[in-house]
Amino acid sequence: MTSLITTDLVVLGADQGTESSAVIRALAATIAEQGRANSADGLADAAIAREEKTPTGVPGGIAIPHARTEAVTEPSLAMARLNPPVDFGAKDGPADLVFMIAAPEGAGKDHLKLLSKLARSLVKKDFVASLRAATTEQEVVDLVETALGLRETPEESTSTESTPTESASSSTDHPRRVVAVTACPTGIAHTYMAADALVQAGSDMGIDVVTETQGSSGTTPIDQSVIDAADAVVFAVDVDVRDKARFAGKPYVQVPVKAGIDDPQGLIAKALAEADAPNGRRLAAAHAAADDESSTAGNSRESIGAHLKRVLLTGVSYMIPFVAAGGLLMALGFLLGGFDIPDYAEDIVLGNSLWNLPTEYGDLAFGPVGAYLGAVAFQIGNLSMSFLVAALAGYIAYGIADRPGIAPGFTVGAVAVLMGAGFIGGIIGGLLAGYIAHWIGSLAAPRWLRGLMPVVIIPLVASLVSSGLMFMVLGGPISALTKGLDSWLSSMTGTAAIVLGLILGAMMAVDLGGPVNKVAYSFAVAGLAAGSVGNPVPWEIMATVMAAGMVPPLAMALATAVRPRIFSQAEKENGKAAWLLGAAFISEGAIPFAASDPLRVIPASVVGAGVTGGMTMAFSVTSQAPHGGVFVFFAIDSFLLFLLSVVVGTIISAVLVLALKILVRKGGAAGLAEAADRSAPATTAATSTGSTTGSGSAGEAQPAEPVSSNADATRV
């Protein structure tokens, strides 16, 4: 394992500016100069984006900016002792000791454990004092490597081998116990520092504190018997807690992870106060995975719109595997058994086998073997698709009420199918079941009944109420609405169909995997099960959405191939990868280009994708597969017309983005601004986009991140 820190990564008595972003950029440049990062700007942007979410300053004049990004090629620590100190958001003032932790996107657990051990060492006052007293860079390296256990020192090995969980759980003298979970988005520094701070604060207060760190180097869950015996729970987290249902019924407090570092004693006291109060806050079973507080904003509640978007996308994301597997298998069934396989499939699979091949089947089947295998594939796919509405409703309810909402959600989804209410009924039923289950779970229940609430009482009552309402009140009107919508879509021809294709295509390109893109894709997937040979419009919508989503990355790939001189080296590399991503229908392949130059890339992508969407609808191209791009050619009818639509949109977007870049480079106000940017690239901070995909003007030779790690083949 290579050394994490060297003397070349240590700067003593440095003046690195008065802003935290300036310090981060200076340390990122130091790391890149040593060949440990391929892009100083990429590393700095990632660390600054992390800093904007939660400041990394901690009590004691310390800051730990950190990032995990593809810009880093080797796990590294860079340390600066600042003069003057710089404010990193700590409550007690600016920081004079700054450690920048840089981890590659795929960092191994061994390195991540060392990085987290360093974060824990920074809680120790004697270690921090030694860093401030160090007179040479080598002395700092020696101190850090000793703290990491890379140097044999008896005194240190004793102190660094025990974890907060071990030391706390071994105590038998404390009359009260608090269990704590700590987690941050990166899972490297704050996660472990908060855990150590809580353990140390508990020791000072005479309280037994047992911690579970849900970080990048792995998680060891607290034993359930320890949780059951605890008086209260502290959640110091910036992300969702894994398997939160373990703590159901316990008094608790939930705060951002940084509060666990800044005020650990106050958190422990608040948690115990909740336990002592007769009406203290308890973690209800239905709240086990979805708190009523935003984990990143203290006591601020999640907005209604954000909450609905989250739970709806939860339902869609869990539904997608049923659709993907089912749609592809049905398409394979059509390929082997012919388009009239639905007329024969059930009889064939029930009455025949490989040793008793069918004699009656459609003319387009590949013989008896093809008819039998096609019938098997079609029936499996058809059964998978039959779960679509139930899975959608079940996991919408799960997004609201956690596991107690699954059974009521699946049940009301099945009722919606029976009533002919379709996916609209599934959405409404899932919301209804989820909120009913959530409300029941929030009710105060006697201790003897709490164990039955999530497995018996909540599913029983929520299923009865939500499914009863679907049967008696909602099912009929929703069914009528669904039939009307199906009739309207089926009647769309000519200009109306083309307009729908234009709109869906533009939506797929406007934010490249964001909320608008997800709405269009979810609309197509949710209606896929309603498609048939007699009603191909849902399949046409699916083909439209898929073709349009392929255009942005393919257009960027084509543009970098045609005029490579106006793109940076990193963008040219991203362009090579974008060929495959676009062909596979992963729109996120265009994100690095859009992040660095949104005002030119996004409009060009929207125009090309809109044209592609209009063309596929005009050609009546259909797709029975919800994903895969050109790799599911067998599931796409009129595949050559599908390719033609994608090619035309790709060329349009590529030509537009090149034209916009070239025009801006030739002059005008934008050209002057670009020239000004080129004159001072090192001092101009890029506008944050909330991602780590680079910044600056795309017309400049600015480094951009490789293809976003957020690209998701499930689209959700």
Side-chain angles (χ1 to χ4, degrees):
M1 184 184 299
T2 56
S3 177
L4 290 171
I5 186 169
T6 66
T7 54
D8 293 325
L9 296 175
V10 178
V11 183
L12 300 180
D15 182 351
Q16 294 189 333
T18 59
E19 300 290 335
S20 60
S21 59
V23 176
I24 290 172
R25 291 195 178 279
L27 290 175
T30 299
I31 292 171
E33 287 168 2
Q34 300 306 312
R36 291 169 173 259
N38 56 33
S39 170
D41 286 341
L43 171 56
D45 289 344
I48 291 171
R50 173 65 184 87
E51 194 76 24
E52 290 173 348
K53 292 178 181 177
T54 307
T56 58
V58 297
I62 303 169
I64 315 100
H66 52 277
R68 187 165 55 177
T69 168
E70 291 179 354
V72 177
T73 57
E74 185 177 339
S76 304
L77 299 174
M79 182 267 194
R81 200 166 62 195
L82 301 178
N83 185 18
V86 174
D87 183 16
F88 274 80
K91 295 172 67 175
D92 63 345
D96 64 325
L97 289 180
V98 179
F99 270 96
M100 183 166 182
I101 301 176
E105 190 63 48
K109 285 191 175 182
D110 289 341
H111 278 121
L112 292 173
K113 286 179 179 178
L114 291 177
L115 295 172
S116 63
K117 188 179 288 188
L118 170 74
R120 285 176 154 165
S121 297
L122 292 173
V123 179
K124 301 174 182 177
K125 295 180 180 179
D126 56 346
F127 176 64
V128 174
S130 298
L131 289 173
R132 287 199 170 96
T135 57
T136 66
E137 289 83 358
Q138 186 60 53
E139 192 174 348
V140 171
V141 173
D142 293 343
L143 286 167
V144 171
E145 291 189 340
T146 300
L148 296 178
L150 301 178
R151 295 173 182 264
E152 291 296 331
T153 303
E155 299 81 12
E156 287 298 324
S157 62
T158 301
S159 63
T160 58
E161 286 176 1
S162 65
T163 65
T165 301
E166 291 166 345
S167 61
S169 60
S170 63
S171 174
T172 58
D173 299 330
H174 298 158
R176 307 200 75 182
R177 170 174 287 174
V178 171
V179 293
V181 178
T182 61
C184 67
T186 309
I188 297 176
H190 286 65
T191 298
Y192 301 95
M193 295 183 71
D196 277 1
L198 287 165
V199 169
Q200 183 59 52
S203 178
D204 295 342
M205 299 168 68
I207 306 297
D208 184 15
V209 177
V210 182
T211 61
E212 177 180 315
T213 52
Q214 297 187 353
S216 296
S217 59
T219 299
T220 302
I222 300 173
D223 189 88
Q224 189 62 46
S225 62
V226 176
I227 297 173
D228 294 340
D231 296 285
V233 184
V234 171
F235 296 116
V237 295
D238 286 338
V239 294
D240 289 341
V241 176
R242 303 171 198 165
D243 200 10
K244 200 172 186 181
R246 296 172 292 158
F247 305 93
K250 289 292 177 182
Y252 77 107
V253 294
Q254 179 163 335
V255 294
V257 67
K258 196 167 183 292
I261 304 172
D262 293 341
D263 188 20
Q265 290 195 5
L267 284 182
I268 294 171
K270 288 178 182 177
L272 293 175
E274 294 289 349
D276 294 336
N279 296 318
R281 191 179 188 196
R282 300 299 193 269
L283 186 65
H287 294 180
D291 247 323
D292 60 358
E293 287 185 331
S294 171
S295 62
T296 59
N299 295 326
S300 61
R301 293 182 179 272
E302 187 179 36
S303 69
I304 294 175
H307 171 73
L308 285 174
K309 184 181 82 171
R310 177 177 61 79
V311 299
L312 290 174
L313 289 181
T314 297
V316 171
S317 67
Y318 280 101
M319 176 192 72
I320 289 276
F322 292 95
V323 182
L328 289 172
L329 285 168
M330 289 179 69
L332 183 60
F334 282 116
L335 177 67
L336 296 174
F339 275 94
D340 52 357
I341 193 65
D343 299 333
Y344 300 90
E346 186 173 350
D347 292 336
I348 290 176
V349 296
L350 294 178
N352 300 99
S353 67
L354 282 173
W355 298 271
N356 177 29
L357 294 173
T359 57
E360 294 185 9
Y361 49 84
D363 295 334
L364 298 177
F366 285 98
V369 174
Y372 179 72
L373 295 178
V376 170
F378 179 85
Q379 280 300 104
I380 296 173
N382 193 39
L383 290 170
S384 176
M385 294 288 281
S386 68
F387 286 103
L388 189 152
V389 174
L392 175 65
Y395 287 107
I396 286 174
Y398 167 77
I400 299 169
D402 196 38
R403 281 183 287 188
I406 292 179
F410 266 83
T411 303
V412 76
V415 173
V417 173
L418 181 63
M419 297 289 291
F423 76 93
I424 297 177
I427 292 172
I428 295 174
L431 292 171
L432 189 63
Y435 286 121
I436 292 171
H438 183 278
W439 173 73
I440 297 170
S442 67
L443 298 176
R447 183 176 294 273
W448 62 268
L449 190 59
R450 288 177 188 168
L452 293 175
M453 290 291 287
V455 295
V456 177
I457 307 300
I458 297 175
L460 172 64
V461 177
S463 296
L464 180 62
V465 175
S466 59
S467 296
L469 287 173
M470 184 61 68
F471 266 126
M472 296 183 288
V473 180
L474 300 173
I478 297 175
S479 176
L481 175 63
T482 300
K483 291 176 182 177
L485 179 61
D486 288 343
S487 298
W488 174 67
L489 288 174
S490 299
S491 66
M492 293 189 77
T493 57
T495 303
I498 295 172
V499 170
L500 177 62
L502 288 169
I503 294 172
L504 290 173
M507 291 175 69
M508 289 300 295
V510 75
D511 58 357
L512 303 173
V516 178
N517 172 287
K518 292 292 189 292
V519 167
Y521 182 71
S522 299
F523 171 69
V525 170
L528 193 59
S532 65
V533 176
N535 177 28
V537 174
W539 294 347
E540 292 174 7
I541 292 173
M542 189 71 255
T544 295
V545 165
M546 184 152 62
M550 295 166 61
V551 167
L554 290 175
M556 296 305 105
L558 179 61
T560 56
V562 172
R563 291 296 298 270
R565 289 185 302 165
I566 65 174
F567 294 94
S568 70
Q569 183 60 39
E571 286 175 323
K572 285 183 280 188
E573 292 300 317
N574 288 339
K576 295 175 183 177
W579 286 114
L580 179 60
L581 294 173
F585 178 38
I586 299 177
S587 304
E588 289 88 344
I591 285 179
F593 301 91
S596 62
D597 190 13
L599 295 181
R600 284 176 280 190
V601 171
I602 290 178
S605 297
V606 166
V607 173
V611 170
T612 293
M615 289 179 65
T616 55
M617 287 297 290
F619 293 145
S620 299
V621 178
T622 65
S623 173
Q624 297 169 52
H627 211 283
V630 298
F631 299 103
V632 291
F633 62 92
F634 58 87
I636 301 173
D637 185 40
S638 303
F639 182 64
L640 292 179
L641 292 175
F642 177 88
L643 283 181
L644 175 64
S645 303
V646 172
V647 169
V648 170
T650 297
I651 293 173
I652 290 173
S653 287
V655 169
L656 281 175
V657 78
L658 289 174
L660 289 171
K661 287 177 179 289
I662 293 170
L663 287 174
V664 170
R665 289 173 68 87
K666 284 184 176 179
L672 292 174
E674 184 173 314
D677 286 344
R678 284 199 299 272
S679 69
T683 58
T684 303
T687 302
S688 173
T689 62
S691 69
T692 60
T693 52
S695 57
S697 174
E700 303 164 9
Q702 296 262 357
E705 290 263 4
V707 176
S708 171
S709 62
N710 293 329
D712 182 359
T714 64
R715 312 285 307 160
V716 178

